[in-house]
Amino acid sequence: SLLRRCRPFRNTCTNLSSSMNWLGELVCQEVRPGDTVLDLGCGNLQATGRLTECHLAVDAFRPYLDHIKSRVPTLHGELPAILGSFMDKSFDIVLLLDVLEHLRAEDHMAVIEGAERIARARVMVFSPDGMMKQEAFDAFGLGFNALLEHRSAVAGETFRQRGYEVSTHTTKNDAGTEAPAFLAIKNV
């Protein structure tokens, strides 16, 4: 299994930062060497790169997984259905970075609760704060991805009410339009 093959990561997360963007650097501050990471809706790992030896990347768009499978273990699946594949407290950290806004609003709570169930240490969520328009498009030259459309609004306040620490940021959509965003972190 993936977890049996994991071994302590010899490098610190900061040694990997050349493959990260600003969000990845924020996430990296919360990851310790040896942590197991479940990256739900991982995309092509643009934000984080590989964080630890035990970084499982999950996405519903197969071309992303094909693109990154030489760097990390991958699993194909859609949220929230794929959450049933994981045992309680089976990963130290669960990431939902730029994911919830791509789902139907009625799936948000099932995904959040599932992430909290799976996490042993913390859940990290990044999203636009409110509705941010974005159409489906071909990102990174890997083919048209209908899943890139923003389908729902996500509110940072929802996470404050659930006991997350929430910091404010800005983000951009595919057209370069800026919007408010948040990073929510909860120790479980």
Side-chain angles (χ1 to χ4, degrees):
S1 86
L2 168 71
L3 296 180
R4 279 196 294 267
R5 289 182 296 164
C6 291
R7 58 188 184 277
F9 199 54
R10 287 187 290 245
N11 297 323
T12 63
C13 201
T14 54
N15 290 339
L16 302 173
S17 64
S18 62
S19 63
M20 296 180 189
N21 67 18
W22 65 270
L23 177 57
E25 291 174 5
L26 289 175
V27 169
C28 195
Q29 294 173 16
E30 302 294 327
V31 178
R32 298 178 316 255
D35 277 347
T36 55
V37 176
L38 178 61
D39 195 344
L40 298 170
C42 64
N44 72 349
L45 298 178
Q46 177 190 12
T48 62
R50 183 178 184 168
L51 292 171
T52 72
E53 280 293 317
C54 301
H55 186 150
L56 178 60
V58 179
D59 207 278
F61 190 59
R62 282 193 190 275
Y64 287 164
L65 299 177
D66 291 341
H67 183 70
I68 64 173
K69 67 184 177 185
S70 66
R71 295 184 282 157
V72 295
T74 61
L75 180 64
H76 179 260
E78 292 187 22
L79 291 169
I82 193 69
L83 296 172
S85 302
F86 301 102
M87 297 183 335
D88 294 359
K89 308 294 181 201
S90 55
F91 285 82
D92 295 310
I93 297 174
V94 177
L95 302 177
L96 289 161
L97 306 178
D98 279 318
V99 174
L100 292 174
E101 66 273 18
H102 299 276
L103 304 175
R104 298 174 316 154
E106 54 266 28
D107 290 333
H108 289 186
M109 210 42 68
V111 171
I112 295 164
E113 290 171 356
E116 291 172 356
R117 175 186 62 77
I118 294 164
R120 274 192 296 260
R122 67 190 54 79
V123 176
M124 301 180 71
V125 179
F126 181 81
S127 177
D129 199 352
M131 187 63 189
M132 178 183 194
K133 183 176 172 60
Q134 178 171 287
E135 302 296 328
F137 66 103
D138 177 357
F140 314 110
L142 297 173
F144 180 80
N145 183 354
L147 300 170
L148 289 176
E149 177 185 358
H150 287 188
R151 298 177 181 178
S152 58
V154 184
E157 185 57 33
T158 300
F159 292 90
R160 279 187 194 86
Q161 292 172 2
R162 292 186 66 82
Y164 285 72
E165 289 185 35
V166 178
S167 56
T168 57
H169 303 274
T170 58
T171 190
K172 292 182 182 181
N173 65 10
D174 61 304
T177 304
E178 285 194 1
F182 66 89
L183 176 62
I185 302 172
K186 182 177 187 178
N187 294 320
V188 293

